Amino acid sequence: LRRFGAGPARSERDAGAIEAFLSQALDDLARERFGPEPLPAVRLQLDQARLRLAFFARAQAERAAAGWTIAAVEWAPPEGHRELDVDGRAVRVRGQIDRIDVNAAQGAWALIDYKTGERAGDPRKAHRTKSGAWRDLQLPLYRWLVAPHERALGLKGTPVLGYAALGKSESEIGFRLAEWDADELAEG
């Protein structure tokens, strides 16, 4: 996915072209890591990954057709961290944001985290309890990490935060977004 986001197909709107790029990138990576003849168990896992990437290609093509472009991949603060005051103590926070997407026509931007696994869930449910209390701060902390760099990155306003989910079935693959407002993110 990093190779896709940084590569020539990143702005592609055709699902077939995206799928072809992702499949070739998977083959290249597999050869680099496992050699020309990977073990049968590895080949099986590669086949599963290829299927997920094929479904993801469709979701990515739809996102691109809606005007979203990938502005950055694996972004981290240039200084490597930010310091957060926690009860009077400075705590270094490091993080790497999988993707920053921009929709110029909408004047919008998004921080996207790739989630793989059997069930890639809803970011709202993952981050907040039913009562509304925060239980996971990953996405709000990503927002906080990028905040001082928004101008340099050409970003304005409150971003949409969420997941690019790569679950085990087609219905569990796609973009899952949590449109928290600025007050909710500040609370987080």
Side-chain angles (χ1 to χ4, degrees), residues 121-138:
D122 176 333
R124 281 191 161 277
K125 291 178 182 175
H127 284 74
R128 301 192 85 166
T129 64
K130 288 182 182 179
S131 68
W134 289 92
R135 66 172 158 218
D136 182 337
L137 299 175
Q138 179 190 21

Side-chain angles (χ1 to χ4, degrees), residues 153-164:
L153 293 168
L155 308 172
K156 296 178 186 170
T158 302
V160 175
L161 290 87
Y163 301 148

